[in-house]
Amino acid sequence: MFRFEKEQQVWDFNGTKIGGQPGEYPTVLGASIFYNKHEIVLDDHKGTIDKPKAEALWNRCQELTDETGIHFFIQIIGEFGEALESYFDWFASIDDKTAFLMDSSAPAARMQAAKYVTEVGLANRAIYNSINGSISQEEIEVLAKSDVDAAIVLAFNPADPSVAGRQKVLGEGGVAGQTKGMMQIAEDAGITRPILDTAATPLGLGSGGSYREILACKGIYGLPTGGAYHNMTVSWTWLRRWKKNLGTVYDGKPALKDQMLKHYAKDMEALKQAVWSAPDIGCNLIASTLGADLIMFGPIENMEPMLTTQAYADITILEAARDLGIDTQDPNHPIFKLI
């Protein structure tokens, strides 16, 4: 374990604190909801959802926080402004405190989201996702005029996935014709609580740099840092193929199949899911041990295995950090609740 020489900033989102030295605060988990083809979305244009199921999912996240001390952000995803507004209204009706990410690949939807949360008084809980190389001057101006002061700042450099390339994007720009670095753009847009995203890239295309960038971001900027590292497994073609074809490996091997499935609820699909989940969840352990403060783990339905994995990581990281003179600043850290 290690400690950063650079002073580490901590942002407080209504009691959920993110950042600091490794071990000082539990890692925050970002749970995605209303993502593409999510079963609880009934109309992705209007934002019509199965409210009982959506609320049940979020309530379970809150129960896990109460039990373990690990906090969640909810990552609200939508491609249409009308849908995002509806999703925000729903979330505000069941939770008056927790921060939420406004996530969309559509600039128009993101801009509408920034305007809307300002109008309805939710901007202090909103995290804009994201400021990246494709941001336009119009989007910067919309953000600057809004009350949104928190954003994910993406260190993505498609031409150079090395740590140096990622840092160049943050400090100098050069991506998609940008003449300013993402940090300066964030400042121009009125962002005072940036969270740096190291930009998870596929295996074979700079995945190692995605992890090393955690050290660079926290070491250079001292800011809360993290990413969506599960995207590495989602884009891993071999893993998808392996999962799909695993059943055929056991054809004609009744003894092996019988014994193996005794440990997977007697279900080949359960074994396949375990094959997928092991790296999908486990990839986040690498980020945690390197100091990541935010893990955006993907579908909210993965909350249970992600929570137990993160609790294990946070406890071991704190135990190691104590040898370096670091101790937790959170009385509800999982080391107090689960040991």
Side-chain angles (χ1 to χ4, degrees):
M1 189 43 63
F2 49 84
R3 66 182 302 156
F4 294 98
E5 291 185 3
K6 178 76 172 182
E7 180 182 357
Q8 297 295 304
Q9 299 296 316
V10 177
W11 306 144
D12 188 339
F13 290 88
N14 296 325
T16 296
K17 294 184 178 181
I18 181 170
Q21 294 285 355
E24 285 189 328
Y25 295 97
T27 307
V28 178
L29 299 178
S32 297
I33 197 167
F34 313 137
Y35 49 85
N36 185 37
K37 297 182 180 179
H38 198 180
E39 299 89 347
I40 64 174
V41 176
L42 307 179
D43 186 326
D44 64 352
H45 284 70
K46 296 182 179 180
T48 306
I49 59 173
D50 185 327
K51 291 183 178 180
K53 288 184 178 179
E55 185 170 355
L57 287 168
W58 182 243
N59 285 346
R60 180 55 182 160
C61 288
Q62 298 300 86
E63 291 171 0
L64 292 171
T65 295
D66 292 341
E67 185 169 347
T68 69
I70 294 176
H71 290 265
F72 290 81
F73 288 159
I74 192 166
Q75 188 171 354
I76 298 176
I77 301 174
E79 298 305 301
F80 302 94
E82 181 181 359
L84 287 174
E85 290 183 8
S86 178
Y87 298 155
F88 299 158
D89 288 344
W90 162 77
F91 189 59
S93 73
I94 66 165
D95 187 314
D96 62 0
K97 183 178 180 181
T98 306
F100 56 92
L101 277 69
M102 305 187 295
D103 193 330
S104 179
S105 63
R110 290 196 301 268
M111 288 188 283
Q112 186 171 337
K115 294 176 182 177
Y116 185 72
V117 295
T118 299
E119 293 171 1
V120 299
L122 293 174
N124 67 315
R125 298 168 55 190
I127 303 172
Y128 199 78
N129 193 16
S130 66
I131 292 176
N132 58 71
S134 67
I135 194 168
S136 67
Q137 185 59 38
E138 179 188 7
E139 194 170 354
I140 296 169
E141 292 173 358
V142 167
L143 257 181
K145 292 177 182 177
S146 76
D147 292 339
V148 176
D149 67 359
I152 302 294
V153 181
L154 189 65
F156 179 55
N157 187 336
D160 183 0
S162 69
V163 171
R166 295 168 197 264
Q167 282 300 310
K168 183 177 180 180
V169 168
L170 292 178
E172 302 175 26
V175 174
Q178 296 288 354
T179 59
K180 296 180 180 180
M182 297 304 105
M183 298 303 296
Q184 183 59 58
I185 290 175
E187 184 177 336
D188 294 346
I191 300 303
T192 58
R193 293 186 292 173
I195 300 172
L196 305 187
D197 185 331
T198 67
T201 45
L203 298 180
L205 295 174
S207 60
S210 304
Y211 289 119
R212 288 187 60 229
E213 179 68 4
I214 299 169
L215 299 173
C217 286
K218 289 185 71 67
I220 294 171
Y221 294 102
L223 292 171
T225 299
Y229 304 100
H230 76 101
N231 285 332
M232 297 178 181
T233 56
V234 171
S235 61
W236 193 6
T237 302
W238 176 86
L239 181 61
R240 292 201 304 270
R241 185 169 60 246
W242 182 264
K243 177 187 175 185
K244 179 180 179 181
N245 297 329
L246 186 61
T248 62
V249 174
Y250 286 80
D251 291 343
K253 301 175 181 177
L256 174 64
K257 185 175 182 178
D258 179 69
Q259 182 58 32
M260 283 291 290
L261 295 189
K262 285 180 179 178
H263 292 262
Y264 294 94
K266 299 182 179 181
D267 185 0
M268 179 56 69
E269 290 305 311
L271 175 57
K272 289 182 178 181
Q273 187 57 43
V275 166
W276 177 271
S277 294
D280 191 52
I281 300 298
C283 66
N284 298 300
L285 284 172
I286 301 174
S288 292
T289 55
L290 292 173
D293 306 292
L294 172 64
I295 300 292
M296 294 175 278
F297 63 87
I300 192 171
E301 289 83 359
N302 290 341
M303 68 180 96
E304 302 282 355
M306 187 63 238
L307 188 284
T308 54
T309 300
Q310 196 60 57
Y312 172 89
D314 283 347
I315 290 169
T316 55
I317 288 167
L318 175 56
E319 287 189 316
R322 281 174 167 170
D323 290 339
L324 302 177
I326 301 171
D327 209 343
T328 181
Q329 304 301 303
D330 187 343
N332 292 312
H333 191 283
I335 201 168
F336 301 127
K337 288 177 167 283
L338 307 180
I339 301 298

